[in-house]
Amino acid sequence: MVQKYQSPVRVYKFPFEMVMAAYEKRFPTCPLIPVFLGSEVLSESASADGSTHVIERSCKLSVDAPRLLKKIAGVECVFFIQKNTLSWRDRTLLIEAHNETFASRVTVLETCSYSVHPDNESWTCFEQCASLDIKSFFGFENTVEKIAMKQYTANIKRGKEVIEYYLSELMSEGITEIPRWVPPAERSSPSKAASPPAAPSCCPAARAELRLDLPAADSASRDASCSLGTSEPSTPDADKLDADYIERYLGRLTPMQESCLIQLRGWLQETHKVKSETGEWKAEKIPKDEHILRFLRARDFHIEKAKEMLCQSLTWRKQFQVDYILETWKPPSGLEEYYAGGWHHHDREGRPLYVLRLGQMDTKGLVKALGEEALLRQVLSINEEGQKRCEENTKIFGRPITSWTCLVDLEGLNMRHLWRPGVKALLRIIEVVEANYPETLGRLLIVRAPRVFPVLWTLVSPFINENTRQKFLVYSGNNYQGSGGLIDYIDKEIIPDFLGGDCLCQVPEGGQVPKSYYLTEELENLDHIRLWAETIYQSAQIMIEIVESSSVITWDFDILKGDMVFNIFHSKRTPQAVKREVSSSVPAVNNEQLIDRSWVLGVDYSIVESPLTCREGESIQGSHITRWPGIYILQWRACGPTHARVDEVLSSLQGSAPKCKVMYYTEVLASHDFRGSMTSLESCHSRFSQISVTTTSSSQSQDGSLISR
């Protein structure tokens, strides 16, 4: 495999001629670069007008490799051929190098260039790219590749330090400016009689002649403009990255990490192009550099893996218009009131701080009242807002901030938070966030973790990336107080009041979601199903096919209005669903008669669980271990109130059926996957909303139904 390297643009805040003078000081040898043992000029030529100078050298480099490998290869050093083409007219230097040693086994190509900064002609830009292709090397190909890349990258940034060292040396000698090259025709003109020499010379004697005696004020100002200190980074080209920009806004990266970022960014620019009205190809808007860098970090800077992950995420974002979610998403009033989470200042490192009072949230009520789609969109908007806040804090604190901190308070967490559909919805949200917002979580602080927390952690941890799991800090009881606790990560004046701090936190307190908020459909005006006795009430049914005995049918439902009877039936015959003529607004599952009127109880089908009468407002969870394969039917059937009023009886006789509301969820687990009501959640994924379906794998378990709507 060919290894490639592409440097960012490195800017020297000195004129091109000064940089060239510093560059020439590296030859014939350079003590500042121990690996560079020396060089010999092979050929040299110049154009008639002196505008172009070409020199070819043989450079001798030491090899930092195991002694055994050197002995097998039979070399202590390697030779490279370097060709430099200097154009004083264009103010450019092109450096091309290739290996002479082991040329038949290894191919090393390097191209470097110095040029004038496009926005400031007093500055000089440097770029570098290289490739390594090891065809064969005595069976040590991988070892040689690692050694070569390690040694090459170790000397990349050293090169800039060397140039800056020689620039400082020139200035200490009094050389602060070198005249530019002037064409011979202009030099011979009378008006140009006082012009400087034709071409700047880089030999010591010539440099001494080029020293300028500048006035004190001018000298001071020039020294300031040529200072080696840093200032606001300037990108020389919109399509290129400046090294100072990377360090200022993205953080310190190794040379290879910089190269991976530049290569992936360049690939996006090439592939995301559209044809304009004039027929020209123009680059589309690509993700921000910090966003690209997150995907590289998530895949350990493996370009191909990061490219695949990023492309899938970009497709997902475009399909569901996630880029506009902050402008288009308006949280429902119930979500704003009962979702106990919000942004709260920043941590000690300047990361935005998000506070989530999970223990105070009614997760079951939120899912039933708002639906999984709304909760997912809320989480996505939080992540988009987090990225926006990171950019703002980067500018405020003057250092790269690319992730945020999350503070989770688990006080109040109990078994009701382990409601199966709610936990499965959480797992799906985690899966979507991991796939599309990698490396955005800088630290997760979990406080007041109760005894039930290990159960929840066992369920969700397999779905969290290993790099993310290492950022979790868990405190039980009051361990978060004092040294080693929150104070190590959050300033004392920012710790929320509900955790004993002095800062008033505006995050909603959560609480139980009223059942009147629940999303439901009304069961009314449907033909009754005569399963045992005459009734004017409607039932809802679900058919589940069981292939293996000892499978487990689980259910979770709420009776929101009216009283109902819940039954489970088994049949060896497959029902032929009969559609009934009803309003189009009624759910399809309630619009089918699964048990034929001709079937006989005890012959064609049987009751496998005793009928369960459920009163309005009750929440029911349960499971049934099947004894036989075949068809199982779950039925919710409205029943009359215990003490019916006269007007209700008269209304029923006139054919107007009362309304009943039920919300239900069922799931089938294989017997070997059912290991208790909590850990059985590990065996499956719930079918989720349309927005997340493109980022998840297929379900591992059979879902009988989702929430009825």
Side-chain angles (χ1 to χ4, degrees), residues 263-303:
Q263 290 182 59
L264 183 52
R265 188 177 186 268
W267 179 83
L268 288 170
Q269 289 171 334
E270 287 297 320
T271 55
H272 289 66
K273 289 185 176 181
V274 293
K275 209 167 188 178
S276 64
E277 296 179 357
T278 60
E280 297 179 356
W281 288 96
K282 293 185 178 180
E284 276 188 319
K285 182 181 178 182
I286 65 172
K288 295 180 179 179
D289 299 320
E290 53 268 30
H291 196 63
I292 299 174
L293 186 57
R294 289 188 181 108
F295 283 85
L296 283 167
R297 284 186 169 131
R299 291 296 177 262
D300 295 324
F301 287 89
H302 190 292
I303 294 180

Side-chain angles (χ1 to χ4, degrees), residues 350-365:
R351 295 190 186 105
L353 178 63
Y354 189 84
V355 175
L356 182 65
R357 304 186 68 177
L358 184 59
Q360 303 300 315
M361 285 174 57
D362 179 10
T363 53
K364 180 177 180 179

